[in-house]
């Protein structure tokens, strides 16, 4: 009964049941997470688990309290910072999401997916100029990162760097020969149009091979 791991195991079971809308599962999961934290108050991962539970239940205040506690225990906790960015996105606070993702990128500069997320946030906000640097960094860390190549190509094109964009789409056509978005971008650019003249692409759907 004094081992926090017992309560975490129980909390995870109830957490799963809560996602299935089982009656009282959320309350039991919350209680088990709180008990685990009591037995291991210095672990930042435990309040983050609680924060994720509260977020799924739509409890904004409890979510903020829990993730704040996680960051008080570990201010450079990348997972908690990225979670905050996800919360910001859910409430359409793009500026805060960008700020938190910037912080995450500084705490874990070697993770290409964080740089991609930062670039996509800028792109989603229409700021293709500032999207370029983080997307380039994602490719520097992972040269074959297809999603970063694609959105960097779109950002280059939006900034008038047509040849740079064309080179990226041509690279993608070799690694993703059946991808409709890449084919469309190349066809449009070959005809002197913008890459997305025939439509748009979501920043949340991975349409190219990673």
């Amino acid at each position: 009964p004094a081992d926090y791991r017992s309560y975490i195991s129980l909390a995870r079971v109830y957490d799963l049941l809560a996602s299935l809308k089982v009656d009282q599962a959320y309350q039991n999961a919350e209680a088990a997470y709180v008990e685990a934290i009591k037995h291991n108050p210095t672990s930042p991962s435990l309040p983050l688990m609680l924060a994720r539970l509260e977020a799924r239940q739509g409890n904004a205040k409890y979510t903020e309290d829990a993730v704040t506690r996680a960051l008080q225990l570990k201010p450079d906790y990348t997972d908690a910072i990225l979670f905050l960015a996800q919360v910001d996105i859910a409430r359409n606070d793009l500026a805060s999401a960008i700020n938190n993702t910037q912080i995450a990128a500084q705490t874990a500069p070697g993770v290409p997916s964080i740089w991609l997320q930062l670039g996509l946030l800028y792109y989603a906000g229409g700021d293709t100029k500032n999207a370029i640097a983080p997307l380039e960094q994602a490719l520097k860390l992972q040269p074959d990162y297809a999603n970063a190549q694609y959105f960097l190509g779109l950002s280059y094109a939006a900034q008038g760097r047509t040849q740079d964009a064309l080179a990226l789409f041509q690279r993608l056509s070799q690694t993703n020969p059946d991808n409709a978005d890449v084919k469309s971008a190349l066809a449009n650019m070959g005809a002197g149009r913008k890459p997305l003249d025939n439509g748009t692409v979501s920043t949340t759907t991975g349409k190219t091979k990673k």
Side-chain angles (χ1 to χ4, degrees), residues 1-57:
D3 190 336
Y4 80 96
R5 292 172 296 182
S6 301
Y7 298 101
I8 285 298
S9 296
L10 184 62
R12 284 173 171 161
V13 173
Y14 279 123
D15 201 333
L16 174 62
L17 294 175
S19 70
L20 300 174
K21 310 298 182 184
V22 174
D23 189 41
Q24 293 299 308
Y26 156 67
Q27 290 84 351
N28 288 329
E30 184 183 50
Y33 280 130
V34 169
E35 195 65 27
I37 291 169
K38 287 180 182 178
H39 289 282
N40 188 3
T42 62
S43 171
S45 65
L46 304 186
L48 179 57
M49 292 178 189
L50 176 59
R52 286 173 170 152
L53 171 72
E54 301 294 0
R56 286 191 290 272
Q57 294 296 316

Side-chain angles (χ1 to χ4, degrees), residues 105-183:
Q106 296 306 315
T107 62
V111 181
S113 60
I114 299 177
W115 292 103
L116 172 67
Q117 179 171 323
L118 180 57
L120 291 182
L121 288 171
Y122 277 122
Y123 182 88
D127 188 354
T128 53
K129 180 179 180 180
N130 280 319
I132 289 174
L135 291 171
E136 287 179 336
Q137 183 62 21
L139 283 178
K140 182 178 179 181
L141 293 167
Q142 186 177 327
D144 61 348
Y145 205 161
N147 284 333
Q149 290 177 27
Y150 182 75
F151 284 100
L152 180 56
L154 295 180
S155 299
Y156 279 157
Q159 289 297 309
R161 296 173 58 176
T162 305
Q163 292 305 312
D164 290 334
L166 190 59
L168 279 174
F169 290 130
Q170 287 171 341
R171 279 174 57 191
L172 275 172
S173 70
Q174 295 173 0
T175 56
N176 292 260
D178 299 323
N179 187 273
D181 288 332
V182 175
K183 288 180 179 180

